[in-house]
Amino acid sequence: MAQAQSQGQGREQGREQAEAQGRGAAAADTVVLIHGLWMTPLSWEHWVSHYERRGLKVVTPGYPGIGPGTAGVEALRRDPSPLAGLGVREVYDHLAETVSGLATPPILMGHSFGGIFVQLLLDAGLGAAGVSIDGAPVKGVLALPPSEIRATFPVLRNPANRRRAVPITEKEFHYAFTNNLSAGESKAVYDRYAVPVSGRMVFQGGLANLTPRATTTYDFTDDGRAPLLFIAGGNDHILPPAVQRENYEKNAKRSRATTAYKLFAGRSHHTCGEPGWERVADLALDWARNPVAGVLA
């Protein structure tokens, strides 16, 4: 009987924590946008101005060694050495310092590998709400669609790439990111945003399920974490919907914290920049301010 009473108290505490987190998200005045691999903070430029027009403060922290704006892109193309050997832990520590230094808990949004960092930060109790957009899988998500293997194979095929900054070609970028665009449209996106990637981070993420104490280890059972939304693009090659769906289901089944999932049919991995990105940005923010659980229509 005492055990049952304790479990009941735990469920009630979980509900109270979730309600408190929801209230905190509604009051949040800052959004932190976390970019993914092969990208820099410049990839969020449209979302920054969009959210600022809605009265929010917007922070776009780059990974260590990645500068802001077009200058950051150009610098990494000339000399990608700051990315060589960069790991998940170093990036996480940098992001955690940025988020914890803000005056109030922010809404966290991450694209691609940035989605992993959103989950890890929420798992550490940072942030008022989180949105993972076309997010990469944390350890424990087993979905591995063939298109994901094809998109990451240029890095994973060579173990020596663990210690390198690996460039992405226009053709590889078009397949992995911008498959909804023409070759010419994709080249314009590639020229503005694409940079080499830390091979170490690709290996850490891709081999997490085979790695004890992997750096992307996450607690799916945390009842006290902030609300979390997974957004998937129906035509995403590098991280198809199966990845986000499994992540959502593991969270929703194992934790009483608010968890939701939204599929945008037909959208590619470049969903934050291709036509119609405003719908994605508005849904992400509206949900974060008023989080509800379940699969969203």
Side-chain angles (χ1 to χ4, degrees), residues 70-86:
T70 56
V73 174
E74 293 164 359
L76 287 174
R77 287 176 179 166
R78 288 193 305 268
D79 177 17
S81 60
L83 297 170
L86 184 66

Side-chain angles (χ1 to χ4, degrees), residues 45-60:
E45 59 181 329
H46 303 305
W47 288 49
V48 171
S49 57
H50 190 67
Y51 284 162
E52 286 177 342
R53 285 193 296 270
R54 293 189 61 173
L56 291 158
K57 303 171 189 174
V58 184
V59 180
T60 56

Side-chain angles (χ1 to χ4, degrees), residues 119-166:
Q119 287 188 251
L120 296 181
L121 290 166
L122 293 186
D123 198 19
L126 298 173
V131 182
S132 172
I133 304 162
D134 298 337
V138 294
K139 182 174 181 177
V141 175
L142 304 178
L144 190 61
S147 62
E148 180 183 350
I149 297 172
R150 176 179 168 181
T152 56
F153 183 71
V155 178
L156 296 175
R157 67 185 173 188
N158 185 353
N161 284 337
R162 288 176 182 266
R163 300 183 297 276
R164 297 172 177 163
V166 185

Side-chain angles (χ1 to χ4, degrees), residues 24-195:
D29 64 355
T30 303
V31 177
V32 174
L33 301 175
I34 304 171
H35 66 84
L37 304 182
W38 290 283
M39 289 285 171
T40 77
L42 183 63
S43 62
W44 291 111
E45 59 181 329
H46 303 305
W47 288 49
V48 171
S49 57
H50 190 67
Y51 284 162
E52 286 177 342
R53 285 193 296 270
R54 293 189 61 173
L56 291 158
K57 303 171 189 174
V58 184
V59 180
T60 56
Y63 299 172
I66 297 182
T70 56
V73 174
E74 293 164 359
L76 287 174
R77 287 176 179 166
R78 288 193 305 268
D79 177 17
S81 60
L83 297 170
L86 184 66
V88 171
R89 177 52 55 184
E90 292 88 345
V91 178
Y92 170 80
D93 288 344
H94 174 68
L95 295 172
E97 182 179 7
T98 299
V99 173
S100 61
L102 296 173
T104 57
I107 295 167
L108 306 176
M109 296 187 189
H111 175 251
S112 195
F113 213 96
I116 286 181
F117 290 119
V118 166
Q119 287 188 251
L120 296 181
L121 290 166
L122 293 186
D123 198 19
L126 298 173
V131 182
S132 172
I133 304 162
D134 298 337
V138 294
K139 182 174 181 177
V141 175
L142 304 178
L144 190 61
S147 62
E148 180 183 350
I149 297 172
R150 176 179 168 181
T152 56
F153 183 71
V155 178
L156 296 175
R157 67 185 173 188
N158 185 353
N161 284 337
R162 288 176 182 266
R163 300 183 297 276
R164 297 172 177 163
V166 185
I168 187 171
T169 68
E170 288 183 27
K171 182 177 180 180
E172 291 164 352
F173 186 84
H174 193 194
Y175 178 80
F177 280 79
T178 53
N179 46 293
N180 281 353
L181 304 182
S182 69
E185 291 168 332
S186 177
K187 184 181 187 309
V189 177
Y190 175 87
D191 288 344
R192 185 159 182 80
Y193 300 121
V195 297

